[in-house]
Amino acid sequence: MGMCLSYSMHWEELEEYQALTFLTRNEILCIHDIFRKLCQGKYYKEATLTIDQVSSLPALRVNPFRDRICKVFSHGDVFSFEDVLGMASVFSKKACPSLKIEYAFRIFDINENGFIDEEDLQIIIQRLLNSEDLGADEMTKLTNHILAEADLDNDHMLSFSEFEHAMSKCPDFMSSFRINSWSI
Ligand SMILES: [Ca+2]
Ligand SMILES: [Ca+2]
């Protein structure tokens, strides 16, 4: 715990970050520590990290959606300290389910057309199963199955409210959409 102590953040700033996020004080200090290490001691409010630096963190390195996560939480292809905190907050244990669902939808809307469509579903399935060579038949079966369960208006894609409804019936989702440690 003591390792995470860092004195270059003012007490009031720490309190403010705590009020604005779902993170604990210690989590904020840990992330601050990592951020400072990666930006080589520059003043954290002025420094940014590249997407490569963030997606190489142990917390994200093995996540099959790390490119999408970085896309959704970065601004202008870089991460400010507050961008990193925002990301950590959404993935924290205490973040409210509706916030997690909102960001999950943005992460899974891979072609960014505002819906989770068949194209997105195929990529999501490939990544989750870690399989490039799933047969076309099996893929169609899986996407049809998901759509049959969740596509309530039969337009072959999931709107945000259809996705939200499906996720609320899926108790595993909340525990999987979580990152417990950001340490290096
Ligand atoms: Ca889409
Ligand atoms: Ca639909």
Side-chain angles (χ1 to χ4, degrees):
M1 303 276 262
M3 277 177 3
C4 288
L5 277 179
S6 173
Y7 297 99
S8 74
M9 190 190 290
H10 292 295
W11 188 250
E12 307 85 67
E13 289 168 338
L14 181 56
E15 297 229 298
E16 201 186 323
Y17 290 136
Q18 228 184 317
L20 292 172
T21 66
F22 290 99
L23 299 167
T24 63
R25 206 176 61 169
N26 204 53
E27 284 171 327
I28 294 167
L29 289 173
C30 272
I31 291 165
H32 179 242
D33 227 35
I34 292 164
F35 192 89
R36 279 185 61 211
K37 263 182 214 147
L38 290 175
C39 70
Q40 289 157 348
K42 283 187 205 134
Y43 180 48
Y44 75 97
K45 283 194 161 180
E46 286 161 9
T48 54
L49 301 182
T50 65
I51 282 181
D52 272 353
Q53 282 177 306
V54 174
S55 63
S56 307
L57 291 172
L60 288 180
R61 193 151 68 195
V62 294
N63 190 306
F65 298 99
R66 61 191 173 280
D67 61 327
R68 291 294 309 153
I69 294 170
C70 286
K71 185 82 194 295
V72 164
F73 289 100
S74 62
H75 289 95
D77 285 339
V78 291
F79 278 86
S80 66
F81 178 65
E82 291 184 6
D83 292 333
V84 178
L85 281 189
M87 172 174 69
S89 177
V90 169
F91 283 102
S92 73
K93 196 172 156 186
K94 286 194 292 169
C96 58
S98 61
L99 185 75
K100 285 181 183 283
I101 291 173
E102 183 190 324
Y103 276 93
F105 186 81
R106 290 179 60 188
I107 290 164
F108 291 151
D109 177 14
I110 292 166
N111 59 15
E112 300 186 347
N113 65 352
F115 293 91
I116 296 180
D117 50 25
E118 285 180 77
E119 187 187 8
D120 299 323
L121 283 174
Q122 288 179 8
I123 298 169
I124 294 166
I125 292 166
Q126 265 169 10
R127 291 188 183 192
L128 285 176
L129 299 180
N130 193 20
S131 159
E132 292 282 326
D133 47 29
L134 195 66
D137 283 357
E138 282 172 275
M139 182 59 88
T140 310
K141 234 185 255 173
L142 277 170
T143 52
N144 285 346
H145 177 72
I146 294 166
L147 290 171
E149 292 285 316
D151 176 23
L152 304 175
D153 63 2
N154 293 316
D155 64 354
H156 297 287
M157 49 192 194
L158 304 183
S159 64
F160 177 68
S161 59
E162 287 168 336
F163 178 76
E164 196 179 23
H165 185 247
M167 287 301 111
S168 67
K169 293 189 298 182
C170 180
D172 288 348
F173 168 74
M174 290 308 150
S175 52
S176 66
F177 206 76
R178 192 187 287 173
I179 293 174
N180 292 319
S181 167
W182 288 92
S183 53
I184 297 186

